[in-house]
């Protein structure tokens, strides 16, 4: 179905092979827009030249060496801005993180905050979504949720006390927000919080995505921070992010109304297991 007034030209997506990029491509498949799923070595300038919009998803909370937090989350935005010169794209849409802060001591949050600043001063019309933790459905839960699912009845490891609360947001709701921002000229430019309507602690979320008798093994924050210094798959910035609350400062419905979203609760997508 084609929405009245929406742009029908190509949509270029950086970081298109991640969980959000996959959902976004699936959503765009129902529209007439050509979808350009871009990888690390693709020519961005060529892909952007006649695009109606660019959606920048490239970035990670767990960069693999020799990549860095700045390289993955900041330099990729600079490359996107440079490649937009001469493009007819009406807007770039950027997926950031709820606690992004250019002055943060956490290199991930700092890089995201600095990337936002670059976009705001670039002169390119931009929509910046500061998203909470993203989860997929049972058939494709995504990396964060996959780490919280018990395998063979084993306890689920949780960093910290498990009382930290996240405003979990559905992957499909994020994809819908990205599509609306990219193609609907009635939506505004600016920076917006993108969070789900239901705040759950990590332990409550684990209970939703597992059987009722799931066991949880809490890793004390001090031990988690120590492991973050020596275990490559558990970098310190990731540990720090997972130990924090991740909650919006305003009612999530404010953003939902601006971008035509109907936000879904965790328990609508993951029926609590019995």
């Amino acid at each position: 179905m084609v929405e009245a007034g929406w742009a029908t030209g190509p949509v270029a997506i950086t970081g298109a092979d991640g969980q959000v990029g996959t959902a976004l491509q699936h959503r765009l498949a129902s529209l007439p827009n050509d979808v350009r799923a871009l990888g690390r070595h693709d020519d961005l300038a060529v892909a952007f030249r006649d695009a109606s919009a660019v959606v920048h998803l490239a970035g990670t909370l767990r960069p693999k060496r020799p990549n860095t937090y700045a390289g993955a989350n900041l330099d990729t935005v600079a490359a996107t801005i440079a490649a937009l010169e001469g493009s007819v794209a009406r807007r770039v849409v950027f997926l950031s993180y709820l606690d992004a802060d250019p002055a943060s001591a956490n290199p991930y949050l700092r890089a995201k905050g600095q990337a936002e600043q670059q976009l705001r001063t670039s002169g390119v019309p931009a929509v910046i979504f500061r998203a909470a933790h993203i989860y997929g459905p049972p058939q494709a839960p995504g990396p964060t949720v996959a780490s919280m699912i018990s395998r063979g009845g084993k306890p689920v490891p949780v960093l910290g006390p498990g009382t930290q609360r996240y405003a979990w947001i559905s992957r499909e709701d994020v994809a819908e927000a990205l599509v609306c921002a990219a193609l609907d000229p009635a939506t505004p430019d600016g920076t917006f919080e993108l969070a789900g309507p239901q705040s759950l602690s990590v332990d409550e979320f684990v209970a939703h995505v597992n059987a009722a008798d799931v066991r949880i093994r809490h890793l004390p924050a001090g031990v988690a921070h120590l492991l973050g210094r020596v275990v490559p798959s558990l970098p310190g910035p990731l540990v720090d992010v997972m130990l924090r609350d991740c909650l919006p400062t305003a009612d999530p419905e404010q953003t939902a109304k601006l971008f035509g979203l109907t936000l879904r609760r965790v328990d609508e997508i993951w029926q609590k297991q019995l």
Side-chain angles (χ1 to χ4, degrees):
M1 176 180 177
V2 181
E3 301 287 347
W6 280 23
T8 56
V11 178
I13 309 169
T14 68
D17 59 349
Q19 68 162 334
V20 174
T22 301
L24 178 58
Q25 291 185 69
H26 184 265
R27 174 65 178 91
L28 286 167
S30 64
L31 300 173
N33 308 75
D34 178 33
V35 178
R36 295 174 181 169
L38 304 173
R40 183 177 303 175
H41 303 296
D42 288 317
D43 189 325
L44 299 184
V46 171
F48 294 175
R49 189 170 297 146
D50 63 341
S52 286
V54 172
V55 181
H56 183 79
L57 303 178
T60 182
L61 184 52
R62 190 180 292 175
K64 296 180 180 179
R65 294 179 181 176
N67 206 359
T68 64
Y69 282 100
N73 299 287
L74 179 58
D75 294 350
T76 55
V77 169
T80 289
I81 292 170
L84 280 164
E85 185 175 351
S87 168
V88 300
R90 55 173 291 273
R91 180 180 282 172
V92 59
V93 185
F94 175 48
L95 188 63
S96 187
Y97 181 72
L98 206 55
D99 290 332
D101 180 356
S104 176
N106 182 304
Y108 171 73
L109 301 178
R110 183 170 64 250
K112 285 293 190 186
Q114 291 172 344
E116 291 181 4
Q117 285 185 326
Q118 283 195 2
L119 278 170
R120 293 190 193 102
T121 59
S122 69
V124 178
V127 175
I128 298 169
F129 285 124
R130 288 183 159 189
H133 288 284
I134 299 168
Y135 68 96
Q139 63 272 23
T144 299
V145 181
S147 70
M148 297 179 177
I149 296 176
S150 175
R151 307 297 178 188
K154 295 180 180 180
V156 174
V158 167
L159 299 179
T163 55
Q164 58 269 41
R165 303 189 73 81
Y166 304 159
W168 307 86
I169 184 159
S170 160
R171 181 190 66 179
E172 278 65 33
D173 289 348
V174 174
E176 188 64 26
L178 295 171
V179 167
C180 291
L183 301 180
D184 184 357
T187 56
D189 295 338
T191 302
F192 307 92
E193 294 181 331
L194 189 57
Q198 185 180 24
S199 167
L200 294 174
S201 72
V202 174
D203 281 0
E204 289 170 338
F205 186 84
V206 169
H208 269 286
V209 300
N210 288 278
D213 60 351
V214 65
R215 293 176 295 151
I216 298 174
R217 184 178 73 246
H218 294 105
L219 189 65
V223 176
H225 281 301
L226 180 62
L227 289 176
R229 299 176 185 173
V230 297
V231 178
S233 62
L234 196 67
L238 180 150
V239 172
D240 178 54
V241 165
M242 299 304 290
L243 289 173
R244 298 169 178 240
D245 288 340
C246 183
L247 301 170
T249 61
D251 184 349
E253 293 297 339
Q254 293 181 9
T255 298
K257 289 178 181 178
L258 286 173
F259 293 91
L261 307 178
T262 301
L263 297 172
R264 287 168 288 184
R265 294 165 54 94
V266 172
D267 51 17
E268 291 180 69
I269 295 174
W270 284 81
Q271 297 293 323
K272 194 165 184 177
Q273 304 296 306
L274 300 178

